[in-house]
């Protein structure tokens, strides 16, 4: 009898999670109910599963709304009915038109209108819904004549009075109005709750025909869904046989390409994998991925195949990945096996500049009716909750900022804030809006609107209205088409090297970069800034602690840096064992046999599964549940708890010490959602090597490519510094040498106009295109003639030094610009400047200091180019110890002068601490540690140079300075200002990179007490 139920997937309207909606229906004795969320089917598949478990007949539908008004409710008679509604809603989502007042003529859908908006004439499939409170109106002859077309309509939107208030808050959030400004038309009626079925039916006792109509409608709705049928495009060719034949042929060609002739081990692995792929009917998925890669290669694009797909030798032979699974002993079963309950997907990266081209190809090649992005539910988060809820209660922005930025215990105590907190906390984990999955693509055998309506976000690619978990549940294996700037760094470097040096680097041939001798020396020193994944301070410190100088150690480092390994204490233990291979014992013989390569430490997802299977004796199915939990894809806490219980039971049966089993499971649990599979780490390591090779042998071009791809972990200034340290001469943007992006000519690097603050990007691109069309600018006046730019924009270019080629200083150019442009109307510009000879102005000799130029650059670029930041300091002192000598000062106190590059905030039980990264006057990097107590007295005061006093600590080849005192050092007064209060404000624009970690403090080493030796019985 409940034909209009809303879950919290009716965004900013419904308040009931799906699980709770079903459980309440059971409590009320409901035997059939319809989920009709507003303009979506996001929850229907979870709803169907939940109802089947609860013994309720599920009806699926949509409540169609437009402009905050309900038009009608649609209920699917069957799968065709759902498809009809999906296509109808999709057409309006794409066109942007408002849904019509009357429903179209559906063939397999029942339509229910409310009493207020029912048309005079109803089709056979159309009904009027009568709410309980409307039954008293049925005495009129006009309405009595329509009883044969009436059904029970008891909407469900909330559960309690408090949830009704929450519903009103959600409506105010959605409408962006104060709660007090809502009208009755903006929110649901107070009666929209579940009530016992008997109680509901008693209201309609005088009109049994309405109950009968409702029952008949319910009986005619028989939507069923088989969750076991694959929904992806089945075949790349025409059938399964031709698919496996083509895949086999391609694999054999790739085998010869990758391994040459007479490779018995590789051939055996290929044969084994092909058998499993065919058995699981996964050939089409491999071939579609191969087809995408083939197109990418035809366009000259670079890609990186990573994730568990790199465990496959077939993927390696097809060129999908560049990781040899034999070299690293990667087992295919981690990617695809008979016991795996969920099918895998390939993760493939392209440059952020080229990804859209790949997407266009996929949508065009496989049909726009069959391809869409996965959706995702963006939930209400802590900050957004307090901002949104606080706003509807009328709090000013200043108070909203305080609520959003501070923990609840620091919130001001008053009645309004209490309301905001109470209702805000109710919204945690509630969906707030639908969005596009960052990379997941679905390619469907049937039209994708058979399963969902589609929306068209601004990006221009359609999305389904459910997330990746639902997609997987209903039989879709997604294709992860990702983008990253790291590939852009590599790809653009190769192009710049050929253009600037005439050298072609085949960086796709990983044999030239992987384990390359000089690159390995850079790696061991942590000289990796700019390189994919290995440039952060934490990663550079880890590389130095490990003295990492080979591929396999880098693969391990790529994984142990992950939070799961660090949190469990296994990262520190791995570092110890790597540096002291004779000073530990394996926990158990299984650890020696299975994890000998990583000193008995669980580093990869596979390691956890190996230990669970070989030590714990768990079945393969439980190993798959663990895998999903570790990759952050598991949704069933109950299943994970059962695995835990099974683990301890099995360990006890196998005679393992309880203390050891508990420690091992503690380590396993720490991995959940935070670890890499080995193949993923290997893929990252290969890409890291590719970028490192380019940094080693072509550092200037590489850094320019990093700058043009808008950096990585650090701000642009850091990469400019790296280029300068590599021998580049850095020039300010120049109208004759610079493009929108940064250019390199030999060792001369001209910064791009994209870095000039306040300069319009369209104008910057116009300068570039005009120069390409008409040649270099021969004078300042020539530039003014050719570029339609106002005086203020011209001044920006003057101040940044873009006209240095003219030989005139900035003051002279400013006078000239004013004389030419001050009283010039745009319509007379060409007449005055093009048709009249340029006047020669006699200009005074106006001197400028290098400090003036540097402060101009700080204002417009956020860093100086004409000199270093150290040249701007009032003090000439440069420190007693330089960074290159820190290793010899272990446990000694040092005084240093350094420029702040970045700092990372880390939570501890004693409060917030920071790790700092700096450069000294010689341009060398070093790192500092700032404990909470010390920060209270000596806090960071923004970007700039600091005088540091601290004690050097050397931890496995890596020196850090534990700070005792620090003070920010003043710059010289800015000579461009006469007023003393303005002479130091430009210094405040010097930037720093600040990152934070939102997590609970990690346990201390003594709290973990990770065993280093065998545990006794």
């Amino acid at each position: 009898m409940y034909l209009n139920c809303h879950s919290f997937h009716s965004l900013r309207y419904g308040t009931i999670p799906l699980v709770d909606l079903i459980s309440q229906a059971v409590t009320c004795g409901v035997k059939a109910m319809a989920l009709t969320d507003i303009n979506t089917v996001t929850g229907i598949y979870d709803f169907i599963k939940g109802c089947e478990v609860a013994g309720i007949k599920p009806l699926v539908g949509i409540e169609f709304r437009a402009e905050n008004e309900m038009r009608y409710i649609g209920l699917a008679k069957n799968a065709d009915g759902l498809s009809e509604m999906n296509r109808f809603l999709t057409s309006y989502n794409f066109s942007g038109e408002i849904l019509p007042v009357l429903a179209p003529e559906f063939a397999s859908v029942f339509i229910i209108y409310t009493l207020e908006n029912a048309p005079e004439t109803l089709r056979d499939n159309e009904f009027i819904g009568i709410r309980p409170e409307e039954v008293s109106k049925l005495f009129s002859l006009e309405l009595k004549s329509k009883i044969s077309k009436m059904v029970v309509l008891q909407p469900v939107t909330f559960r309690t009075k408090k949830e009704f208030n929450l519903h009103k808050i959600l409506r105010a959030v959605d409408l962006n109005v104060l709660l007090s400004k809502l009208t009755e038309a903006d929110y649901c009626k107070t009666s929209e709750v579940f009530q016992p079925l008997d109680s509901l039916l008693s209201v309609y006792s005088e009109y049994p025909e309405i109950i009968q109509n409702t029952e008949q409608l319910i009986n005619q709705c028989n939507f069923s869904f088989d969750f076991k049928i694959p929904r992806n495009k089945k075949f790349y060719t025409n059938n399964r046989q031709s698919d496996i034949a083509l895949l086999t042929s391609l694999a054999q060609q790739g085998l010869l390409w990758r391994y040459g002739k007479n490779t018995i081990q590789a051939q055996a692995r290929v044969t084994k994998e092909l058998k499993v792929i065919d058995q699981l009917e996964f050939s089409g998925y491999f071939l579609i991925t191969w087809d995408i890669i083939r197109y990418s290669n035809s366009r000259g694009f670079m890609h990186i195949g990573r994730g568990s797909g790199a465990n496959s030798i077939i993927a390696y032979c097809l060129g999908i990945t560049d990781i040899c699974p034999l070299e690293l002993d990667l087992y295919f079963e981690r990617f695809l096996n008979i016991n795996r309950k969920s099918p895998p997907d390939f993760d493939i990266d392209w440059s952020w500049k080229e990804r859209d081209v790949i997407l266009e190809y996929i949508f065009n090649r496989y049909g726009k009716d069959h391809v869409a992005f996965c959706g995702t539910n963006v939930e209400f988060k802590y900050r957004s909750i307090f901002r949104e809820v606080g706003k509807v209660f009328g709090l000013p922005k200043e108070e909203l900022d305080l609520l959003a930025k501070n923990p609840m215990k620091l919130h001001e105590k008053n009645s309004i804030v209490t309301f905001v907190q109470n209702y805000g906390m109710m919204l945690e984990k509630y969906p707030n809006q639908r969005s596009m999955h960052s990379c997941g693509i679905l390619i469907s055998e049937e039209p994708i609107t058979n399963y969902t309506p589609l929306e068209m976000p601004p990006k221009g690619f359609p999305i389904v209205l459910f997330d990746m978990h639902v997609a997987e549940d209903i039989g879709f294996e997604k294709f992860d088409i990702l983008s990253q700037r790291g590939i852009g760094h590599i790809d653009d470097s190769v192009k710049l090297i050929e253009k600037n040096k005439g050298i072609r680097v085949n960086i796709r041939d990983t044999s030239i970069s992987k384990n390359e001798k000089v690159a390995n020396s850079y790696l061991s020193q942590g000289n990796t800034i700019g390189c994919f994944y290995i440039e952060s301070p934490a990663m550079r410190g880890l590389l130095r602690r490990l003295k990492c100088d080979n591929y396999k150690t880098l693969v391990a480092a790529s994984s142990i840096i992950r939070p799961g390994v660090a949190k469990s204490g296994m990262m520190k233990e791995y570092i110890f064992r790597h540096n002291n291979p004779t000073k530990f014992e394996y926990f158990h013989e299984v650890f020696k046999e299975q994890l000998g390569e990583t000193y008995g430490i669980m580093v990869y997802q596979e390691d956890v599964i190996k230990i669970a299977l070989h030590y714990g004796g768990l079945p393969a199915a439980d190993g798959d549940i663990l895998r999903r939990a570790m990759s952050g894809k598991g949704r069933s806490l109950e299943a994970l708890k059962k695995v835990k219980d099974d683990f301890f039971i099995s360990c006890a049966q196998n005679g393992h010490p309880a203390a050891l089993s508990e420690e091992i499971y503690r380590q396993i649990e720490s991995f959940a959602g935070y670890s890499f599979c080995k193949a993923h780490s290997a893929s990252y390591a290969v890409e890291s090597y590719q970028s490192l090779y380019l940094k080693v042998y072509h550092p200037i071009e590489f850094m320019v490519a990093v700058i043009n791809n808008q950096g990585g972990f650090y701000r642009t200034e850091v990469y400019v510094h790296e280029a300068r340290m590599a021998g580049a001469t850095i020039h300010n943007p120049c109208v004759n040498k610079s493009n929108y992006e940064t250019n390199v000519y030999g060792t001369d690097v001209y910064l791009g106009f994209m870095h000039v603050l306040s300069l319009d990007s369209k104008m910057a691109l116009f300068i570039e295109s005009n120069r390409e069309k008409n040649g270099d600018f021969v004078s300042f006046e020539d530039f003014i003639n050719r570029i339609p730019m106002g005086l203020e924009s011209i001044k920006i270019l003057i101040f940044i030094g873009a006209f240095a080629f003219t030989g005139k200083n900035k003051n002279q150019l400013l006078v000239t610009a004013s004389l030419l442009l001050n009283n010039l109307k745009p319509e007379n510009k060409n007449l005055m400047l093009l048709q009249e000879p340029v006047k020669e102005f006699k200009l005074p000799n106006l001197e400028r200091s290098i400090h003036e130029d540097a402060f101009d650059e700080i204002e417009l670029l956020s860093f100086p180019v004409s000199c270093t930041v150290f040249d701007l300091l009032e003090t000439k002192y440069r420190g007693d110890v330089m960074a290159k000598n820190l290793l010899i000062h272990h446990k000694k106190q040092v005084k240093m002068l350094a420029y702040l590059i970045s700092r990372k905030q880390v939570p501890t039980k004693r409060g917030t601490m920071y790790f700092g990264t700096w450069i000294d006057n010689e341009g060398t990097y070093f790192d500092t540690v700032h404990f909470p107590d010390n920060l209270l007295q000596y806090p960071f005061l923004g970007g700039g140079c600091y005088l540091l006093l601290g004690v050097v600590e050397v931890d496995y080849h890596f020196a850090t300075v534990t700070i005792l005192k620090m003070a920010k050092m003043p710059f010289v007064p800015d000579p461009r200002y006469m007023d003393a209060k303005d002479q130091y404000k430009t210094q405040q624009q010097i930037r720093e990179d600040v990152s934070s970690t939102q997590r609970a403090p990690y346990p201390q080493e003594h709290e973990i007490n990770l065993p280093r030796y065998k545990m006794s019985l």
Side-chain angles (χ1 to χ4, degrees):
M1 296 300 159
Y2 287 89
L3 305 180
N4 185 208
C5 298
H6 305 110
S7 75
F8 63 4
H9 289 299
S10 289
L11 300 180
R12 300 182 177 186
Y13 193 95
T15 65
I16 313 175
L18 266 176
V19 174
D20 296 347
L21 184 72
I22 295 168
S23 65
Q24 192 175 21
V26 171
T27 302
C28 291
V30 175
K31 299 301 180 186
M33 63 186 292
L35 182 66
T36 54
D37 278 319
I38 296 169
N39 294 343
T40 188
V41 297
T42 302
I44 64 168
Y45 298 104
D46 284 339
F47 173 72
I48 291 167
K49 281 188 168 182
C51 284
E52 286 174 355
V53 172
I56 294 174
K57 179 178 180 178
L59 282 67
V60 300
I62 300 173
E63 181 181 304
F64 294 97
R65 276 184 173 255
E67 298 182 317
N68 200 32
E69 293 181 1
M70 190 176 89
R71 298 292 200 236
Y72 27 81
I73 299 159
L75 297 175
K77 297 180 184 179
N78 48 38
D80 290 340
L82 178 63
S83 301
E84 283 185 283
M85 288 191 290
N86 289 342
R87 283 191 283 275
F88 168 67
L89 188 55
T90 297
S91 67
Y92 282 90
N93 286 342
F94 281 19
S95 70
E97 295 177 16
I98 297 172
L99 285 168
V101 174
L102 299 180
E105 192 167 348
F106 289 121
S108 300
V109 177
F110 288 116
I111 292 295
I112 301 173
Y113 290 98
T114 61
L115 187 59
E116 296 89 358
N117 62 5
E120 281 298 317
T121 306
L122 295 168
R123 301 184 181 106
D124 291 342
N125 67 319
E126 295 181 336
F127 295 87
I128 301 171
I130 301 298
R131 292 172 175 262
E133 61 267 27
E134 294 171 336
V135 170
S136 60
K137 297 179 182 179
L138 299 183
F139 65 86
S140 74
L141 291 175
E142 181 186 355
L143 292 181
K144 276 187 178 180
S145 66
K146 296 180 179 180
I147 284 179
S148 63
K149 297 293 286 181
M150 292 181 179
V151 293
V152 174
L153 183 63
Q154 173 56 44
V156 175
T157 301
F158 62 94
R159 287 173 289 185
T160 62
K161 182 178 179 181
K162 189 171 184 179
E163 273 194 11
F164 177 67
N165 293 336
L166 181 65
H167 162 75
K168 291 176 71 174
I169 289 169
L170 285 169
R171 298 306 303 129
V173 168
D174 187 52
L175 298 170
N176 194 26
V177 297
L178 293 174
L179 192 61
S180 59
K181 297 296 183 182
L182 287 177
T183 67
E184 286 190 8
D186 294 326
Y187 51 85
C188 75
K189 299 185 184 302
T190 55
S191 59
E192 293 192 13
V193 295
F194 270 121
Q195 50 184 285
L197 188 58
D198 292 343
S199 175
L200 175 63
L201 293 179
S202 67
V203 178
Y204 298 87
S205 59
E206 294 184 16
Y207 301 95
E209 190 175 358
I210 294 178
I211 297 174
Q212 186 179 359
N213 292 342
T214 309
E215 290 174 341
Q216 287 177 353
L217 186 152
I218 290 171
N219 291 336
Q220 292 178 73
C221 287
N222 294 293
F223 181 89
S224 62
F225 192 87
D226 190 339
F227 288 89
K228 295 179 182 177
I229 296 176
R231 307 288 169 182
N232 270 49
K233 181 174 172 58
K234 290 182 180 179
F235 311 118
Y236 177 73
T237 59
N238 296 319
N239 54 59
R240 176 178 171 181
Q241 290 73 27
S242 56
D243 267 8
I244 191 63
L246 176 57
L247 185 61
T248 301
S249 173
L250 292 170
Q252 293 300 330
Q253 293 172 38
L255 183 66
L256 187 63
W257 164 48
R258 292 290 198 184
Y259 295 98
K261 297 179 180 179
N262 303 318
T263 51
I264 297 172
Q265 185 186 7
Q267 178 64 69
R269 175 72 173 257
V270 166
T271 303
K272 170 191 168 186
E273 288 193 17
L274 285 171
K275 182 178 178 181
V276 175
I277 291 167
D278 184 36
Q279 191 174 353
L280 295 176
E281 299 184 29
F282 218 60
S283 301
Y285 187 89
F286 268 82
L287 289 169
I288 290 171
T289 308
W290 163 78
D291 175 61
I292 296 167
I293 298 303
R294 179 177 61 168
Y295 173 75
S296 172
N297 291 339
S298 75
R299 294 295 304 268
F301 296 166
M302 182 179 176
H303 78 277
I304 303 289
R306 57 176 173 85
S308 63
N311 287 63
S312 168
I313 198 170
I314 301 296
Y316 183 53
C317 289
L318 266 58
I320 295 170
T321 66
D322 279 315
I323 305 301
C324 172
L326 302 182
E327 179 184 9
L328 292 173
D329 191 27
L330 305 176
Y331 63 108
F332 178 60
E333 289 75 13
R334 169 62 183 82
F335 179 63
L336 198 62
N337 65 76
I338 301 300
N339 294 307
R340 181 166 176 162
K341 294 181 178 179
S342 59
D345 51 51
F346 283 113
D347 297 331
I348 307 175
D349 290 320
W350 277 270
S351 166
W352 63 286
K353 296 178 180 179
E354 295 165 348
R355 176 179 180 245
D356 282 358
V357 178
I358 298 297
L359 292 174
E360 287 285 357
Y361 173 74
I362 295 170
F363 276 85
N364 292 332
R365 171 73 172 79
Y366 295 99
K368 295 187 185 297
D369 292 336
H370 295 262
V371 185
F373 264 93
C374 256
T376 184
N377 287 317
V378 180
E379 297 175 341
F380 281 100
K381 299 287 193 330
Y382 184 89
R383 288 192 173 193
S384 65
I385 286 174
F386 287 122
R387 286 194 189 281
E388 297 281 16
V389 177
K391 191 162 57 173
V392 305
F393 278 100
L395 296 180
K397 183 181 182 302
E398 296 75 22
E399 287 190 49
L400 295 178
D401 289 342
L402 290 173
L403 291 178
K405 292 176 182 178
N406 292 312
M408 284 177 58
K409 63 184 180 181
L410 297 181
H411 288 180
E412 184 182 341
K413 298 291 185 269
N414 61 54
S415 58
I416 297 296
V417 170
T418 300
F419 274 125
V420 172
Q421 290 175 338
N422 289 342
Y423 286 105
M425 288 302 95
M426 290 175 71
L427 287 178
E428 274 200 309
K429 301 298 181 184
Y430 272 45
N432 180 21
Q433 57 190 8
R434 282 184 294 273
S435 185
M436 180 189 235
H437 189 278
S438 60
C439 58
I441 299 284
L442 307 180
I443 303 178
S444 176
E445 177 71 18
E446 298 178 10
I448 209 154
T449 48
N450 284 5
Y451 311 104
T452 172
L454 302 175
E455 290 181 349
M456 185 67 78
K459 185 72 175 174
F461 296 108
I463 62 170
V464 302
L465 301 192
F466 46 72
D467 64 19
M468 58 177 279
H469 298 294
V470 173
E472 186 180 288
D473 283 347
I474 67 177
F476 282 108
E477 302 103 41
K478 61 184 170 62
F479 296 78
D480 280 343
I481 308 298
L482 304 105
S483 67
Q484 52 154 281
R485 296 189 185 275
I487 295 177
H489 299 168
I490 295 169
D491 207 26
D492 286 0
S493 293
V494 171
K495 293 171 184 173
L496 281 171
I497 292 161
E498 184 171 4
K499 179 183 176 184
N500 196 42
K501 293 181 174 178
I503 298 172
R504 288 190 178 185
V505 180
N506 183 14
I507 201 64
R508 298 186 192 194
D509 178 4
T510 57
S511 65
I512 70 169
S513 58
K514 196 170 66 178
N515 266 340
E516 198 278 332
K517 184 177 179 181
V518 183
N520 277 337
S521 70
Y522 273 52
L523 199 61
S524 67
Q525 298 164 29
N527 186 6
T528 54
I529 285 182
C531 299
F532 173 76
Y533 197 69
I534 55 174
E535 67 165 336
S536 71
M539 192 66 187
R540 289 189 301 106
L542 176 60
L543 293 173
R544 292 176 68 178
R545 287 183 176 96
L546 295 173
K547 220 165 189 179
C548 176
D549 62 356
N550 63 81
Y551 173 50
K552 289 192 175 181
T553 303
L554 179 58
V555 173
S558 298
S559 192
I560 66 172
I561 196 73
R562 298 285 291 165
V565 191
K567 178 182 177 183
S568 65
M570 290 185 283
M571 180 171 80
K572 284 187 176 179
E573 185 62 19
Y574 181 93
I575 295 168
F576 174 85
R577 294 184 182 195
H578 179 79
N579 285 285
N580 302 280
T582 63
K583 295 182 179 179
F584 72 93
E585 294 175 354
Y586 288 94
F587 297 152
H588 189 276
E589 282 303 306
V590 168
F591 283 77
K592 187 174 184 179
E593 294 165 9
Q594 299 294 330
L595 308 181
E597 187 183 277
T598 55
Y599 316 108
I601 298 295
M602 287 183 280
V603 169
Y604 312 109
Q605 290 177 5
E606 292 93 330
D607 296 343
V608 178
I609 296 170
K610 284 178 186 177
I611 296 306
L613 300 183
H614 296 286
Y615 173 86
L618 293 181
D622 282 357
D624 191 58
I625 292 170
L626 277 176
R627 174 197 62 79
R628 291 174 61 74
M630 287 182 296
S631 57
K633 294 179 180 177
R635 292 200 289 172
S636 175
L637 294 175
E638 294 83 2
L640 198 58
K641 184 181 184 305
K642 185 178 183 304
V643 170
K644 182 176 182 178
D645 295 339
D646 290 348
F647 176 83
F648 284 112
I649 292 169
S650 181
C651 286
Q653 290 172 347
N654 289 325
H656 296 314
L660 178 58
S661 298
E662 287 172 6
E663 167 58 24
I664 289 169
Y665 200 81
R666 181 195 71 78
Q667 295 177 17
I668 288 173
E669 278 189 317
S670 74
F671 270 72
Y674 294 110
S675 62
F676 280 167
C677 68
K678 189 175 183 180
H680 192 89
S681 292
S683 303
Y684 271 18
V686 167
E687 187 178 349
S688 297
Y689 261 120
Q690 287 172 312
S691 55
L692 182 57
Y693 177 87
L694 294 169
K695 177 185 171 90
V696 168
Y697 289 102
H698 309 282
I700 296 175
E701 290 82 3
F702 177 71
M703 283 305 156
V704 170
V706 173
I707 291 166
N708 286 339
N709 282 272
Q710 298 171 36
F713 186 88
Y714 306 94
R715 61 193 182 274
T716 299
E717 177 186 7
V718 178
Y719 302 113
V720 171
H721 169 74
E722 283 286 297
R724 183 182 283 116
M725 295 293 286
T729 302
I730 308 299
H731 300 273
N732 282 310
C734 170
V735 294
N736 277 339
K737 295 289 187 180
S738 296
N739 290 341
Y740 181 70
E741 294 185 336
T742 297
N743 273 349
V744 56
Y745 306 88
T747 59
D748 288 306
V749 172
Y750 285 84
L751 296 176
F753 290 118
M754 65 187 287
H755 303 296
V756 182
L757 305 176
S758 304
L759 184 65
D760 180 64
S761 59
K762 291 180 181 178
M763 188 56 65
L765 290 166
F766 183 77
I767 293 170
E768 180 182 338
S769 63
N770 184 282
R771 193 180 69 226
E772 288 175 359
K773 181 179 178 181
N774 301 309
D776 284 357
F777 301 100
V778 297
S779 66
F780 180 58
E781 291 80 5
D782 181 38
F783 179 87
I784 291 176
N785 273 332
R786 287 162 52 180
I787 305 299
M789 186 178 276
L791 180 59
E792 290 307 311
S793 295
I794 290 285
K795 285 181 178 179
I796 290 173
L797 291 178
I798 290 172
F799 284 126
I800 203 56
F803 300 105
F805 75 95
T806 64
K808 297 177 181 178
N809 67 33
K810 293 180 182 181
N811 290 335
Q812 292 171 324
L813 290 167
L814 287 169
V815 171
T816 302
S818 296
L819 289 171
L820 289 172
L821 294 174
N822 253 342
N823 299 310
L824 181 62
K825 294 180 180 178
E827 61 268 23
N828 295 330
K829 178 177 180 180
N830 290 341
L831 179 68
M832 292 182 67
L833 292 179
L834 290 177
Q835 296 184 8
E836 294 182 8
V838 174
K839 296 178 181 178
E840 287 293 331
F841 300 105
K842 186 169 178 61
L843 300 171
N845 186 20
L846 302 170
E847 295 295 334
R848 285 178 66 89
S849 73
I850 192 171
H851 288 163
E852 288 182 87
D853 289 338
F855 283 115
D856 282 342
E857 291 153 4
I858 291 170
E859 279 195 349
L860 294 171
L861 298 173
S862 76
F863 58 91
V865 174
S866 303
C867 63
T868 74
V869 284
F870 294 95
D871 297 326
L872 293 175
L873 291 173
E874 285 187 339
T875 179
K876 300 300 179 185
Y877 178 73
R878 294 296 180 260
D880 295 341
V881 174
M882 305 311 288
K884 65 185 179 185
N885 298 320
L886 283 176
L887 286 172
I888 64 174
H889 289 274
H890 181 49
K891 296 295 182 182
K892 295 178 182 176
Q893 187 169 291
V894 295
K895 187 185 288 186
M896 306 178 72
L897 186 82
Y899 179 54
L900 181 58
I901 297 298
S902 67
R903 56 184 165 111
K904 181 178 182 179
Q905 169 263 325
V906 177
T908 74
K909 291 183 177 179
R910 291 169 50 199
T912 296
M913 69 176 294
Y914 277 96
F915 295 102
T917 298
W918 312 74
I919 57 170
D920 65 13
N921 187 48
E922 294 178 345
T924 308
Y925 297 90
F926 69 97
D927 295 86
T928 57
V929 179
H930 306 252
F931 287 108
D933 296 343
N934 178 267
L935 284 165
L936 291 174
Q937 194 170 357
Y938 302 104
F940 285 94
L941 298 173
C945 292
Y946 288 72
L947 184 62
L948 307 172
L949 181 69
V951 176
V952 179
E953 302 285 345
V954 179
D955 181 34
Y956 301 109
H957 328 291
F958 176 59
T960 58
V961 181
T962 301
I963 295 302
L964 303 174
K965 295 181 180 180
M966 71 175 183
K968 189 173 180 181
M969 305 303 286
F971 279 6
V972 297
D974 187 340
R976 301 171 308 159
Y977 295 98
M978 298 300 294
D979 195 326
K981 68 180 176 58
D982 295 325
Q983 290 183 332
Y984 293 94
K985 69 178 184 180
T986 310
Q987 182 177 357
Q988 306 308 314
Q989 293 178 240
I990 290 286
R991 293 172 54 195
E992 56 176 328
D993 292 315
V994 184
S995 58
S996 60
T997 304
Q998 302 298 326
R999 58 165 171 80
Y1002 284 163
Q1004 298 297 301
E1005 198 167 348
H1006 68 275
E1007 295 173 308
I1008 298 172
N1009 197 26
L1010 186 70
R1012 189 164 288 160
Y1013 301 98
K1014 286 183 179 178
M1015 299 178 73
S1016 58
L1017 291 169

